[in-house]
Amino acid sequence: MKRLLSSLALTLLTSFFLAGDYANGELIFNAKCASCHYPTEEINAAPGLAGVTERWAGKEELLYLWIKNPNAAIATGDPYVTGLVNEYKARFGLMAAQNVNDTEIEDILTYINEYVPPVVSEEVVAVQGGGEESEDQGMSWMWWLVFGLIFIAVIFSLSGVKRQLEVAEAIKEGRSPEEIGYGEAMKAWMWDNRTLVSIIGIFVMVLLIVAAWDWAARIGVYGGEDVVENYKPDQPIKFSHALHAGENQIECQYCHSTAQKSKTPLIPSANVCMNCHKYIKEGPKYGKDEIAKIYQAIGWDVENFVYTGDTEPIEWIKVHDLPDHVYFNHAQHVKVAGLECETCHGQVDEMEVVEQVSSLTMGWCINCHNETSVTQMTASGSENGYYDEIHARMVSTDQGVELLREYLEDGAITAKELGGWECSKCHY
């Protein structure tokens, strides 16, 4: 009977906290609490909140006071509050007062009590080569090779049959068969059909030249719009740009901070990741496994909330690369020209795994310089003192004014007309 009454009392106490709105509690928790607390037992920047109603049973008013004004709760001298401060303040600091009312607190506690951890879906990340497309393409070439070999075998077989028939006919007519080798027979056939052979020869030569040109043009190029297998390497950590740049709307230059300042956009160090992931320990796509790799790289002790000093560099695989003889400056394009990252890199905010979508060949670049209008760049709102200076120089001389008029015949000045096709711009 005593046990039954205790259970009933605990149920009544718990129901005090479950009178709120779960959905509203989730919204408030994510907005005000999630940066420090998890609704589970796991520690984030502060202890987990699972079981909070049981721990504060009988002290409901004090719990509400603690949430709204921790210093006032401490001033009551309550032993439980004093114990919390002594245990956690040195490690996590004192919780800030929260601007919430009693109804909102009820909603938050309802959410915590009824919280069920989401099931993390295992997403298959495509690796370099495009998977099935790569395999299909390989099989296609293999079949062409098989058919070619069969065709050659049939030709030689028919040639042998023809020779045997000629020998049999010569013997039947009483003539001695002429023994002519395959090489001499081929030469004789080619001479008798020299017009056809010349046409075939020219066709094959053109095919070889085109193939050689395409091969040379692809040196140092990993992907491209006209390539089935866009370069998409499997990275050491599964970092989702669709989540970070897309759903969370983190600016590209928060991580790639030197894109406006230098030649390279900078691969962010793990320290940048820790600005958020010191507190966010579990992701919606890959759970804790991938974030744990960041902790291992930076030397972060999750349990004690300290750096150990034992670090391991993350060996990211470069996706967008140019040949060594090409010079490309990000600051010139991002800061001066005011181009968006998507111009060259595509919709990265929609990519689970970053891939190369533009060919980045010389033809692709000079075509962009030929079509991109400087007047469009200045209209984008970027700081284009560089173009203002060029304009000032042009209008200072009669020759420059004439040149400016020539450029403006089509209503716009392109990057090409300002030297964007000069060899020394990219090959110095």
Side-chain angles (χ1 to χ4, degrees), residues 152-166:
I152 292 173
V154 169
I155 290 176
F156 275 97
S157 297
L158 292 176
S159 177
V161 171
K162 180 182 178 183
R163 290 184 64 197
Q164 292 297 327
L165 291 174
E166 289 176 349

Side-chain angles (χ1 to χ4, degrees), residues 168-180:
E169 184 179 359
I171 293 174
K172 181 179 180 181
E173 294 177 354
R175 294 182 290 108
S176 62
E178 297 180 2
E179 293 295 333
I180 301 177

Side-chain angles (χ1 to χ4, degrees), residues 67-374:
I67 294 173
K68 293 186 288 187
N69 191 343
N71 287 317
I74 295 172
T76 63
D78 183 85
Y80 182 73
V81 175
T82 302
L84 287 178
V85 173
N86 293 337
E87 182 177 359
Y88 295 114
K89 184 178 179 179
R91 183 177 174 186
F92 302 108
L94 185 64
M95 183 181 73
Q98 301 300 309
N99 184 22
V100 290
N101 56 41
D102 290 351
T103 301
E104 290 174 331
I105 294 176
E106 289 180 8
D107 294 344
I108 294 172
L109 294 174
T110 299
Y111 167 70
I112 294 171
N113 280 302
E114 298 180 3
Y115 176 77
V116 177
V119 178
V120 179
S121 60
E122 293 293 334
E123 298 190 7
V124 178
V125 180
V127 297
Q128 175 186 358
E132 295 182 0
E133 286 188 82
S134 175
E135 184 178 350
D136 291 344
Q137 188 180 36
M139 291 298 295
S140 176
W141 279 105
M142 184 179 295
W143 280 114
W144 277 110
L145 179 60
V146 170
F147 288 141
L149 293 175
I150 293 175
F151 181 70
I152 292 173
V154 169
I155 290 176
F156 275 97
S157 297
L158 292 176
S159 177
V161 171
K162 180 182 178 183
R163 290 184 64 197
Q164 292 297 327
L165 291 174
E166 289 176 349
V167 169
E169 184 179 359
I171 293 174
K172 181 179 180 181
E173 294 177 354
R175 294 182 290 108
S176 62
E178 297 180 2
E179 293 295 333
I180 301 177
Y182 279 109
E184 294 179 0
M186 180 63 69
K187 291 178 182 178
W189 181 87
M190 293 176 66
W191 179 254
D192 293 337
N193 300 276
R194 49 187 175 275
T195 301
L196 176 61
V197 171
S198 298
I199 295 174
I200 294 175
I202 294 173
F203 180 73
V204 171
M205 184 176 296
V206 170
L207 285 180
L208 292 175
I209 292 174
V210 171
W213 178 272
D214 289 341
W215 172 79
R218 305 303 306 173
I219 294 177
V221 179
Y222 300 134
E225 295 173 346
D226 56 338
V227 180
V228 175
E229 301 175 71
N230 283 4
Y231 186 57
K232 185 166 58 176
D234 192 15
Q235 298 290 355
I237 297 178
K238 294 178 181 178
F239 179 89
S240 171
H241 277 77
L243 173 64
H244 292 78
E247 294 181 29
N248 296 332
Q249 297 184 351
I250 299 175
E251 290 290 336
C252 300
Q253 293 181 45
Y254 178 79
C255 299
H256 304 285
S257 57
T258 61
Q260 283 193 338
K261 306 172 185 177
S262 69
K263 174 184 175 182
T264 58
L266 180 67
I267 302 299
S269 69
N271 289 311
V272 176
C273 305
M274 290 300 290
N275 288 340
C276 297
H277 287 291
K278 182 182 289 186
Y279 308 106
I280 301 173
K281 302 174 184 178
E282 183 173 356
K285 292 183 178 294
Y286 305 113
K288 302 178 182 179
D289 294 342
E290 301 305 312
I291 297 177
K293 295 177 183 178
I294 300 175
Y295 296 153
Q296 182 178 359
I298 198 68
W300 175 250
D301 186 338
V302 179
E303 296 298 328
N304 297 312
F305 217 65
V306 295
Y307 289 103
T308 64
D310 185 14
T311 62
E312 297 179 12
I314 303 172
E315 298 182 2
W316 298 108
I317 301 173
K318 191 173 180 64
V319 178
H320 301 88
D321 202 359
L322 296 176
D324 293 339
H325 65 279
V326 176
Y327 174 81
F328 179 86
N329 192 306
H330 273 81
Q332 178 69 22
H333 291 76
V334 177
K335 181 69 173 179
V336 178
L339 295 180
E340 297 293 336
C341 304
E342 292 85 352
T343 304
C344 301
H345 298 293
Q347 296 297 324
V348 176
D349 58 347
E350 299 177 1
M351 298 180 187
E352 188 64 29
V353 180
V354 169
E355 63 181 280
Q356 181 176 331
V357 298
S358 301
S359 65
L360 304 183
T361 60
M362 178 177 175
W364 186 86
C365 293
I366 64 175
N367 183 62
C368 181
H369 284 191
N370 186 41
E371 296 179 349
T372 302
S373 169
V374 172

